[in-house]
């Protein structure tokens, strides 16, 4: 293997180029991106402490570059019926999406990688004689769509409608705020990503969205209206738009991770609902797994790509199953809001089906003690 072409210079594509050159400096690595170098949508990227641990284990140099730019916290807060409840013991860190891209660009440059920005690859033939093609080109992946049947693509949409804003304030933790508004029940997922700034994702049921008339508002009108609905949580801060549009979450999975010499990573291969905050983490872990498979197969494509799928799929299935369970909870969050605050917080933290009573007691002792003082049975 001499030539590798990577489509997409987001976190997954940049990280793939970094690990390739780190492991095989002799490789000719071409990285293509249709957008400008610093064009990015969204605001912050959140990682759990566990996710950061894998990065440090596999690539300490990149971890050393990224971690100083991160904000950290150790609680989740659930706000419901005017009460805010802290769930302790769950460590997170977040970084501005643009800053993450810039740091990965810096690391890639140090290894001699020069991405081709504002370059659209329309067909695989445009890539010439590449020995390996890595599709890191997101949900609308050209690589996957070149033969979606061969990849076993499955795509659907959830019912809830959401919009992605930023906020001009720094929240203390990953917070879930649920409110009653004049148009119906709504919720916001918000977390800090740098000093004075947070991500602020607003979600509502499809029926609420239809009643609201928000589908017919401009971006600025939607922003202004949402500021009024979440004025208490924002506490005077303004929302920030960045290509912020109302949409439904796409569920994507692929039966096959590769097709010939083409292989998928990140959102080109799968999606995981934003309520578990694992999209970028999963993309980087995909890249690590792919590199390990290539190395273990002595860079023989025909052996490495099946090994990548065989080892990575069970792990992805476990995480995406949890993400789907979490998404299902949010799809019916209006009914959960009938619960009182402490019962609601317990329902929330167990939404993915992975946290049983014993684990919860170990993970969040202050929260579980408070639950028991409220007379709530964890069993």
């Amino acid at each position: 293997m001499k030539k590798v072409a990577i489509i997409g210079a987001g976190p997954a594509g940049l990280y793939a180029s970094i690990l390739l050159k780190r492991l095989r400096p002799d490789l000719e690595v071409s990285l293509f991106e249709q957008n400008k170098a610093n064009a990015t949508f969204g605001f912050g990227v959140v990682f759990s402490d566990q996710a950061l641990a894998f990065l440090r284990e596999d690539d300490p140099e990149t971890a050393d570059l990224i971690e100083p730019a991160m904000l950290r916290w150790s609680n989740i807060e659930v706000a419901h019926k005017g009460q805010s409840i802290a769930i302790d013991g769950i460590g997170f860190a977040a970084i501005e999406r643009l800053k993450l891209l810039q740091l990965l660009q810096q690391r890639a440059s140090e290894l001699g990688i020069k991405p081709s920005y504002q370059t659209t690859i329309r067909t695989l033939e445009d890539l010439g004689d590449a020995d390996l093609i890595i599709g890191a080109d997101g949900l609308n992946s050209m690589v996957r769509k070149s033969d979606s049947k061969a990849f076993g693509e499955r795509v659907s949409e959830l019912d809830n409608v959401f919009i992605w804003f930023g906020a001009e304030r720094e929240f203390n933790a990953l917070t879930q705020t649920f409110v009653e508004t004049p148009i119906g029940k709504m919720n916001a997922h918000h977390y800090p990503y740098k000093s004075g700034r947070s991500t602020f994702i607003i979600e509502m049921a499809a029926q609420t969205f239809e009643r609201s008339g928000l589908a017919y508002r401009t971006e600025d009108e939607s922003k202004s209206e949402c500021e009024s609905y979440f004025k208490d949580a924002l506490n005077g801060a303004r929302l920030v738009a960045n290509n912020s549009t109302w949409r439904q979450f796409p569920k994507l999975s692929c039966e096959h991770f590769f097709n010939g010499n083409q292989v998928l990573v990140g959102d080109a291969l799968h999606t995981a609902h934003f309520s578990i905050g694992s999209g970028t983490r999963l993309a980087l872990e995909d890249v690590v797994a792919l590199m390990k498979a290539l190395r273990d197969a002595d860079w023989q494509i025909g052996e490495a790509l099946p090994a990548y799928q065989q080892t990575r799929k069970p792990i992805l299935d476990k995480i995406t199953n949890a993400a789907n369970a979490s998404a299902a909870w949010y799809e019916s969050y209006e009914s959960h809001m009938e619960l009182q605050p402490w019962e609601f917080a317990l329902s929330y933290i167990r939404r993915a089906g992975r946290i049983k009573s014993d684990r919860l007691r170990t993970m969040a002792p202050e929260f579980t003690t408070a639950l028991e003082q409220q007379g709530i049975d964890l069993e």
Side-chain angles (χ1 to χ4, degrees):
M1 186 174 78
K2 296 180 180 179
K3 297 183 179 180
V4 181
I6 304 170
I7 315 302
L14 281 164
Y15 198 50
S17 70
I18 289 166
L19 291 191
L20 281 167
K21 291 298 283 187
R22 193 166 159 262
L23 293 168
R24 284 280 304 272
D26 61 308
L27 287 177
E28 180 181 328
V29 178
S30 301
L31 178 58
F32 302 96
E33 171 56 52
Q34 63 182 351
N35 295 312
K36 295 179 180 179
N38 290 325
T40 185
F41 305 109
F43 298 89
V45 177
V46 65
F47 295 86
S48 68
D49 284 346
Q50 183 180 1
L52 287 174
F54 98 84
L55 185 62
R56 174 155 295 285
E57 179 181 350
D58 289 289
D59 184 7
E61 295 91 349
T62 301
D64 286 341
L65 194 63
I66 292 172
E67 287 186 7
M70 288 181 151
L71 290 180
R72 293 178 179 271
W73 63 91
S74 58
N75 284 354
I76 293 176
E77 294 185 6
V78 179
H80 175 49
K81 294 184 182 292
Q83 186 171 355
S84 183
I85 294 173
I87 303 174
D88 56 307
I90 307 174
F92 289 97
I95 185 171
E96 183 183 22
R97 183 174 290 274
L98 177 57
K99 183 66 173 180
L100 175 62
L101 281 177
Q102 291 171 337
L103 291 173
L104 291 174
Q105 288 166 2
Q106 175 186 327
R107 178 87 174 108
S109 177
E110 291 168 354
L111 293 168
I113 299 159
K114 298 179 179 179
S116 298
Y117 289 103
Q118 295 180 272
T119 302
T120 301
I121 303 299
R122 302 192 183 279
T123 70
L124 296 177
E125 286 71 27
D126 293 345
L127 301 173
D129 58 349
D131 298 297
L132 176 65
I133 298 170
I134 300 176
D137 46 347
L139 180 66
N140 297 314
S141 170
M142 181 278 295
V143 177
R144 189 185 73 250
K145 289 185 174 183
S146 67
D147 195 345
S148 57
K149 289 185 178 179
F151 285 106
E153 172 192 277
R154 295 183 292 268
V155 184
S156 61
E157 287 184 336
L158 298 178
D159 290 334
N160 281 4
V161 181
F162 72 96
I163 192 168
W164 208 294
F165 288 119
E168 293 180 338
R169 66 162 290 188
E170 182 183 335
F171 292 94
N172 295 324
L174 172 62
T175 306
Q176 304 290 325
T177 297
F178 296 82
V179 296
E180 296 267 5
T181 78
I183 63 170
K185 295 180 173 70
M186 300 173 66
N187 75 287
H189 313 238
H190 44 103
Y191 56 86
Y193 63 83
K194 71 174 184 178
S195 178
R197 291 291 184 271
S198 295
T199 293
F200 205 93
I201 309 167
I202 295 169
E203 182 178 11
M204 68 187 78
Q207 299 89 335
T208 304
F209 184 70
E210 290 170 7
R211 288 195 305 268
S212 71
L214 286 164
Y216 308 103
R217 308 284 198 270
T218 65
E219 184 181 64
D220 282 344
E221 288 170 340
S222 287
K223 181 171 73 70
S224 178
E225 202 162 321
C226 288
E227 285 171 347
S228 70
Y229 297 144
F230 288 92
K231 62 182 179 180
D232 290 342
L234 289 166
N235 194 26
R238 303 298 302 272
L239 293 176
V240 179
N242 178 7
N243 195 37
S244 302
T245 57
W246 293 102
R247 51 200 167 112
Q248 293 164 288
F249 188 82
K251 286 177 63 176
L252 166 69
S253 63
C254 293
E255 184 179 355
H256 305 294
F257 291 19
F258 64 96
N259 176 32
N261 69 335
Q262 307 152 34
V263 64
L264 304 175
V265 296
D267 283 353
L269 175 63
H270 52 73
T271 57
H273 193 251
F274 53 81
S275 62
I276 67 166
S278 291
T280 302
R281 166 204 170 175
L282 290 179
L284 299 183
E285 287 182 341
D286 289 346
V287 171
V288 169
L290 175 59
M291 296 305 133
K292 185 177 187 302
L294 286 164
R295 184 189 60 205
D296 291 350
D298 196 26
W299 304 91
Q300 300 301 307
I301 303 299
E303 296 178 22
L305 301 191
Y308 163 57
Q309 173 159 342
Q310 184 177 7
T311 57
R312 185 66 180 142
K313 189 176 186 303
I315 299 169
L316 272 177
D317 286 347
K318 182 178 179 180
I319 296 171
T320 54
N321 286 342
N324 290 339
S326 178
W329 187 93
Y330 276 95
E331 289 287 282
S332 58
Y333 77 86
E334 288 190 346
S335 63
H336 299 304
M337 285 178 67
E338 299 302 319
L339 297 170
Q340 292 305 307
W342 284 96
E343 293 172 322
F344 180 80
L346 179 60
S347 175
Y348 162 77
I349 200 62
R350 284 179 158 171
R351 70 197 184 282
R354 296 191 297 178
I355 300 179
K356 305 302 181 185
S357 299
D358 288 346
R359 182 182 174 193
L360 185 60
R361 286 191 178 92
T362 301
M363 180 183 76
E366 294 178 15
F367 175 62
T368 51
T369 297
L371 283 173
E372 289 168 344
Q373 290 172 346
Q374 295 287 325
I376 296 173
D377 186 0
L378 298 184
E379 303 303 327

